[in-house]
Amino acid sequence: MNLGNCNTSNEAVKSWVQEMVHLCQPDQVHWCDGSEAEKQLLTAEAVKSGVLVELNQQKWPGCYYHRSNPNDVARVEQCTFICTPTKDDAGLTNNWCDPDEMYVKLHDLARGAMKGRTMYVIPYLMGPPGSKLAKVGIELTDSIYVVLNMRIMTRMGLPAYEHLGLRRDFNRGLHCLLDLNPDRRFIAHFPKDNTIISVGSGYGGNVLLGKKCLALRIGSYLARQEGWLAEHMLILGVESPEGEKTFVAAAFPSACGKTNFAMMVPPKHFAGWKVWTVGDDIAWMKPGADGRLYAINPEAGYFGVVPGTNTKSNPNAMHMIRRDTIFTNVGLTADGDVWWEGMDGPPPGECLDWRGEKWTPASKEKCAHPNSRFTTPMQNNPAMAPEVEDPNGVPISAIIFGGRRATTLPLVFQAFNWIHGVYVGAMMGSEMTAAAVGGRGQVRRDPMAMLPFCGYNMGDYFRHWIRMRKHLRHIPRIFAVNWFRKDKDGNFLWPGFSDNMRVLKWIIDRCNGRAGAEETPLGWVPRAGDFDLAGMENFSAEQLDEAQTISVDEWKKEILEENELMFHLHDSMPKELIFQRELLVARL
Ligand code: OXD
Ligand code: MN
């Protein structure tokens, strides 16, 4: 089979592509170069074949619309496998399969799967060029939608080949759409071989292999071997009016507002303050020679949840998605406009919903799928931090763990020390969202927001976190936050969005030794005077107290619920964390 116009001299890349071409038998092979001309060409092709719809270019320059198969709209954790040599390496929080068995099964499914189709070869770099933490992947796919999304989400083409040189240590990713039958949907990771095979899905989190598959699942496995951390965290910088910049990394489960937090615009009262986005989803972090923890964002774009995005929740996002954006599974009007629940302004009188059915404001169904997405280049974000291109990354002063909890978890507290912070992150519970199929609203333990993304045994992952402490001389402070606590009537206790700046300000003041706090059984919490409530309408110190309440009864229940994870990981749970739990019980 003809390999086509191959654009690399790396023999390892060429021979692996040859092998996969032999397996998948595409009609042609397109070696992507990431150029603007290629983007034009592929976009035109995608529009012609109906994969993309061109939006009104006056209103939405460079923007396109895509509708996925209705059975394929979110990550599928039940079809996601970690294929380590032993089941124990993957641990009980992952689905496991013997690697040889999985290779046979997936190669059988991939055999001849690209007949009559084009195989696209996507070389991509995760991380800024020149960064010691950056990694190269090659994704082979028969989806033009994947190519156009990967072009936004990664540094595609030449930067990847330049970083790789003649080495063989690139991630091998194969993606075949097949017939999108959920029974033949598998997202399989082979951490020892630095290989991913994804079949039967076209949804972003399952098929943009640089993101969850490489940057988190394979990434976390490599990170443990190589002494760094691959985390489901946004990275932001807070700049004070005096020009002091403090960087923070924060882990929240999927669809809990990481993108909004990463792009926050401070409220009026914070004149002169600025929040800069380094990343909105993934952080790769490694101790530097100076003993601080440095973070890079391996991605080059944002794959964000659309519903609820508006000029109040995220003005920067509203600005950036106005051009060069791919919208997936939102509503579409006859004149090439888009709509979603929570967008500014009134809904259209009539449009097509995410399934392509007629929709009006009287319809019972949602217009946009709750997990509909935008894919946008990070350069479009007016708050993008210039440091995002720094190969050394940014020094992290604080790590924040967040959950979506209607009860129990206060608005904010600070862990007593690193190990206590690891315990707080490890035991974090959160209500499930639409980003994954099944279980919406149920509280589940989601350690460090990594439950769906940790590529090895979770107990060993906690141990790795604990060990990182030894490599740090300037230890980031660790905090927990909960923007989602509700009162008895179901109203949110904290306004959130731009007012989260107030919480962030206390956090960075704590890191810089400037803010007071009170000791409680959970950790350090701000006292009334430590927290800046000035300029808040309709919000009193009493309401803050309510949002900060620590109920011993609720915590007794919480600790019992932690048992689920403790039992599950019993064999591998580090004793340090069991001890932290004893201490918490004693303090309560
Ligand atoms: C995401 C997710 O898409 O976490 O970022 O599901
Ligand atoms: Mn995510």
Side-chain angles (χ1 to χ4, degrees), residues 125-141:
L125 178 67
M126 300 303 286
S131 169
K132 287 205 178 83
L133 273 178
K135 301 264 181 227
V136 172
I138 311 280
E139 175 165 356
L140 311 179
T141 179

Side-chain angles (χ1 to χ4, degrees), residues 334-518:
D335 58 352
D337 206 345
V338 282
W339 197 77
W340 55 82
E341 277 73 17
M343 192 185 193
D344 301 294
E350 184 183 319
C351 67
L352 296 179
D353 71 8
W354 67 274
R355 290 186 192 82
E357 309 282 339
K358 181 177 147 188
W359 185 91
T360 71
S363 300
K364 285 201 183 63
E365 303 288 333
K366 296 259 191 245
C367 180
H369 187 276
N371 192 37
S372 50
R373 299 281 177 147
F374 57 73
T375 321
T376 302
M378 65 180 176
Q379 273 78 15
N380 281 11
N381 174 7
M384 185 187 80
E387 292 86 351
V388 78
E389 297 292 351
D390 188 338
N392 297 317
V394 296
I396 297 296
S397 297
I399 291 174
I400 302 173
F401 293 114
R404 176 188 284 271
R405 296 296 300 273
T407 65
T408 318
L409 191 61
L411 176 63
V412 60
F413 68 87
Q414 180 185 353
F416 294 118
N417 51 44
W418 179 263
I419 299 217
H420 178 225
V422 172
Y423 169 75
V424 168
M427 293 301 141
M428 196 51 86
S430 195
E431 289 152 25
M432 288 178 70
T433 67
V437 173
R440 273 182 80 182
Q442 251 170 269
V443 174
R444 71 165 176 183
R445 296 295 119 195
D446 189 350
M448 278 112 169
M450 281 288 277
L451 183 68
F453 307 121
C454 183
Y456 61 99
N457 189 310
M458 191 61 92
D460 292 333
Y461 167 75
F462 297 153
R463 198 164 284 111
H464 179 51
W465 260 86
I466 292 170
R467 276 198 209 122
M468 287 304 287
R469 162 74 181 76
K470 279 196 256 169
H471 304 284
L472 295 166
R473 283 199 303 286
H474 304 278
I475 297 149
R477 307 286 191 262
I478 299 183
F479 299 82
V481 302
N482 175 23
W483 316 137
F484 302 95
R485 199 167 189 181
K486 291 182 176 168
D487 66 16
K488 290 186 296 300
D489 304 321
N491 305 308
F492 285 111
L493 282 167
W494 174 248
F497 302 115
S498 67
D499 283 310
N500 292 337
M501 181 67 202
R502 299 166 192 277
V503 178
L504 195 51
K505 167 90 169 27
W506 179 73
I507 288 174
I508 60 171
D509 281 348
R510 287 294 290 171
C511 295
N512 296 321
R514 289 193 292 253
E518 180 176 37

